[in-house]
Amino acid sequence: MLDTDFDHWYYLQGNRALYKTEKAKLANNVLHQLETLYPGISSLVEITDVATPYTFWRYTRNHRGSYIGWLANHTRNGKNHNPYDPAGIG
């Protein structure tokens, strides 16, 4: 995972061509870094996929594209509940 700014990607998604260009640049930069560690690896790569914080937000609606989701706790609406019983019927 690379640390990146949600606002940057949220702004870019308004211009799909620019968004795709930035994702391609990021994929190329990562591949270039890998190439310095593993010469020849670029020739073995068949496909790349870049998921941005905006991608995570769009699919999960997690806060600012968090890829790890919500913090699990034992309260719901201020009441204690069993985290292994999400429906609250146990």
Side-chain angles (χ1 to χ4, degrees):
M1 291 284 177
L2 303 175
D3 190 26
T4 188
D5 182 44
F6 175 81
D7 294 326
H8 170 74
W9 292 102
Y10 186 81
Y11 167 77
L12 285 178
Q13 64 82 29
N15 179 335
R16 295 306 288 177
L18 184 58
Y19 181 76
K20 288 181 179 185
T21 299
E22 284 296 309
K23 286 176 61 169
K25 282 184 193 177
L26 183 58
N28 288 333
N29 287 341
V30 169
L31 194 54
H32 177 72
Q33 292 297 317
L34 285 172
E35 190 68 38
T36 63
L37 297 171
Y38 307 101
I41 195 168
S42 297
S43 65
L44 302 173
V45 174
E46 295 180 8
I47 190 169
T48 60
D49 188 18
V50 175
T52 70
Y54 179 76
T55 307
F56 282 102
W57 176 81
R58 188 167 49 102
Y59 282 99
T60 67
R61 294 295 196 235
N62 284 345
H63 179 69
R64 298 182 60 78
S66 170
Y67 58 87
I68 57 175
W70 298 97
L71 176 63
N73 62 36
H74 298 284
T75 62
R76 182 186 307 139
N77 299 329
K79 298 178 182 178
N80 287 332
H81 76 282
N82 180 346
Y84 301 105
D85 180 25
I89 58 175

